[in-house]
Amino acid sequence: MHVPDGFLDAPTSIATGAAAVACVGTALAGARRELDDKTAPMAGLVAAFIFATQMINFPVASGTSGHLLGGALAAVLVGPFTAVLCMSVVFLVQSLLFADGGITALGTNIMLMGVTTVVVGWLVFRGLQAVLPKRLTLVPFCAGAAALVSVPAAATLFVVLYEIGGTADIPLHSLATAMIGVHVLIGIGEAVITFLAVASIIAVRPDLVYGARRVLARRELEVRTSTGAAT
Amino acid sequence: MGAGHGHKLHFHGHSPVHRAPAHLKILTLIAFMLVVVATPREWYPVFGLYLLLVVAVIALSRVPPTYILKRSVVEVPFLFFALLLPFVATGPTTEVLGVTVSQHGLLAAWGLLVKGTLGVLASLTLAATTEPQEILLGLERLHLPAQLVQIMAFMVRYLDVVTGEMQRMKVARESRGFSARNPRHWPVLARSLGALFIRSYERGERVHLAMLSRGYTGRMPR
């Protein structure tokens, strides 16, 4: 999935690199509001979690399997700014320590799989939350829908980038059909897994899910004195 | 686990390549790869020169070539894409071994193959000769925002802890007879994922509190 060196030409790689720097800079400022002085340890641990997540293989059929991208999941769990930081650091570590994804394509990888999946995922999530009733059980559904849209969105951006700076002339419509078609399928898998994972976290620690905080804030504290006084 | 240990790709050594300052190595890697990517793919001999250069650095670092080659498997998925290109690209066609393929596609596949391979080899050389701690210090010297370096430092530090936790959960699942074979098993894996997130997040909170109790104010001590 990672874009290697030489896949896009040098000007496009530099342009996406500059865009990635701008996005990460914005995320750095924004994450301070989401996490304050907890940013470094929390985002670091969540980045390690995202890295581990991408190592879990989900069997599809007859021996093939895929793994989660995790952009939308991270956005719902820790908030969009922290999620962008986590995803960017994951790609940086993968590129420098694991030779996964080219160093010149780092900006491209961050923009495609970090920023696009997180931003699109978060917008869809927030949009749905605004429309749907504010209930805790609906948060996993919104997260799943966010994941569903985020993967084809990243594929679309890839097609656009490839059209601008691609190194082989593949007809646009056939590339677009193939890429987006395949990624709609991947998106469905991502949606199901994101839904299940968020649902399982909400069942245990709903307070940890950033996307559920608004819903939780509306719940009133119940003080049951009549039964509590007995002990 | 713990500081001082190399990551999975690190090959311990004391060659000049190992000893070179990490920030110079990172800058060299970026500059080298930018030049490679910007080189027109028709300049065949130049790529031979690049390859010689990478091989010379690997030889100088005394990292066994088989060590690097074994780890080049990260490239495999995209080799398939490169092999596919001559058949899907348009333009004038030519015949190779009796199969009609696109000339442009063939050229593009060559470009992808050679640039991607050079990229993987060069990155692997950096990873094999540089400790993660050195890479972090190098990035700091390159004036990457301190916050980002800190996040990366925590990620590198806890990577083995979190993946180890995941591995133990996998062993626990499988010792109870679970094996993931088809999408019906997704709920189990997804619940493990949820548990892993809660454990990672709570570990992050504990680490933060431990740091606070040692006087952390949002800045790492030198």
Side-chain angles (χ1 to χ4, degrees), chain A residues 37-214:
Chain A
D37 72 329
K38 281 199 291 191
T39 307
M42 296 311 297
L45 260 299
V46 173
F49 162 74
I50 298 284
F51 185 93
T53 300
Q54 297 189 346
M55 284 165 70
I56 298 184
N57 276 313
F58 286 84
V60 180
S62 58
T64 56
S65 62
H67 69 78
L68 207 62
L69 267 172
L73 178 67
V76 173
L77 290 182
V78 292
F81 292 113
T82 316
V84 167
L85 284 186
C86 293
M87 298 297 282
S88 306
V89 168
V90 168
F91 293 124
L92 187 61
V93 168
Q94 281 175 339
S95 149
L96 282 178
L97 261 53
F98 295 87
D100 196 3
I103 183 89
T104 57
L106 181 60
T108 315
N109 281 324
I110 290 180
M111 285 311 290
L112 281 175
M113 292 183 283
V115 176
T116 310
T117 53
V118 169
V119 170
V120 171
W122 182 250
L123 289 179
V124 170
F125 180 77
R126 256 289 113 88
L128 281 177
Q129 260 195 337
V131 180
L132 294 170
K134 298 220 175 339
R135 280 222 305 274
L136 200 56
T137 44
L138 286 175
V139 172
F141 284 99
C142 301
L148 180 67
V149 180
S150 72
V151 179
T156 312
L157 180 66
F158 174 81
V159 172
V160 171
L161 284 179
Y162 198 82
E163 197 51 26
I164 299 169
T167 44
D169 45 356
I170 304 172
L172 176 63
H173 62 91
S174 64
L175 177 69
T177 327
M179 275 299 284
I180 297 172
V182 166
H183 282 85
V184 166
L185 290 180
I186 298 177
I188 293 174
E190 178 110 2
V192 173
I193 296 162
T194 305
F195 165 77
L196 291 168
V198 172
S200 78
I201 297 168
I202 293 237
V204 187
R205 286 288 304 269
D207 55 311
L208 293 192
V209 181
Y210 184 87
R213 280 189 196 165
R214 286 195 183 182

Side-chain angles (χ1 to χ4, degrees), chain B residues 20-63:
Chain B
H23 60 286
L24 284 185
K25 283 194 267 190
I26 296 169
L27 277 187
T28 314
L29 175 68
I30 295 174
F32 175 71
M33 282 325 296
L34 273 179
V35 171
V36 168
V37 171
T39 309
R41 55 189 178 224
E42 290 86 1
W43 297 6
Y44 305 113
V46 182
F47 289 106
L49 203 70
Y50 292 152
L51 190 64
L52 271 182
L53 209 63
V54 175
V55 169
V57 173
I58 295 176
L60 188 67
S61 71
R62 290 203 213 97
V63 176

Side-chain angles (χ1 to χ4, degrees), chain B residues 34-216:
Chain B
L34 273 179
V35 171
V36 168
V37 171
T39 309
R41 55 189 178 224
E42 290 86 1
W43 297 6
Y44 305 113
V46 182
F47 289 106
L49 203 70
Y50 292 152
L51 190 64
L52 271 182
L53 209 63
V54 175
V55 169
V57 173
I58 295 176
L60 188 67
S61 71
R62 290 203 213 97
V63 176
T66 48
Y67 186 88
I68 301 268
L69 282 180
K70 253 188 259 165
R71 277 146 189 87
S72 310
V73 289
V74 284
E75 210 195 350
V76 169
F78 118 91
L79 285 186
F80 285 110
F81 183 84
L83 286 179
L84 208 65
L85 268 184
F87 301 99
V88 295
T90 51
T93 56
T94 179
E95 275 203 8
V96 179
L97 303 170
V99 184
T100 315
V101 294
S102 150
Q103 260 175 2
H104 289 184
L106 210 57
L107 198 60
W110 148 258
L112 275 187
L113 220 58
V114 72
K115 288 176 183 179
T117 309
L118 280 169
V120 168
L121 288 181
S123 303
L124 280 175
T125 314
L126 172 79
T129 59
T130 322
E131 297 258 8
Q133 217 53 41
E134 289 293 313
I135 289 187
L136 289 169
L137 286 173
L139 288 173
E140 197 166 26
R141 270 180 244 131
L142 290 174
H143 294 288
L144 203 71
Q147 191 84 12
L148 211 57
V149 178
Q150 269 189 46
I151 296 176
M152 194 175 157
F154 277 105
M155 178 189 165
V156 170
R157 169 64 184 82
Y158 285 98
L159 199 56
D160 285 339
V161 178
V162 174
T163 50
E165 195 140 46
M166 187 184 74
Q167 211 59 39
R168 287 192 293 280
M169 287 161 80
K170 185 171 182 252
V171 170
R173 277 198 309 267
E174 286 176 0
S175 56
R176 284 164 179 76
F178 175 83
S179 86
R181 278 183 307 271
N182 57 48
R184 267 183 305 162
H185 299 133
W186 284 6
V188 177
L189 292 174
R191 270 197 292 276
S192 305
L193 208 64
L196 187 67
F197 171 75
I198 294 171
R199 290 177 181 183
S200 306
Y201 199 95
E202 287 177 344
R203 188 185 293 278
E205 282 174 337
R206 288 197 302 276
V207 168
H208 177 241
L209 288 179
M211 286 161 65
L212 283 184
S213 63
R214 287 162 179 78
Y216 177 70

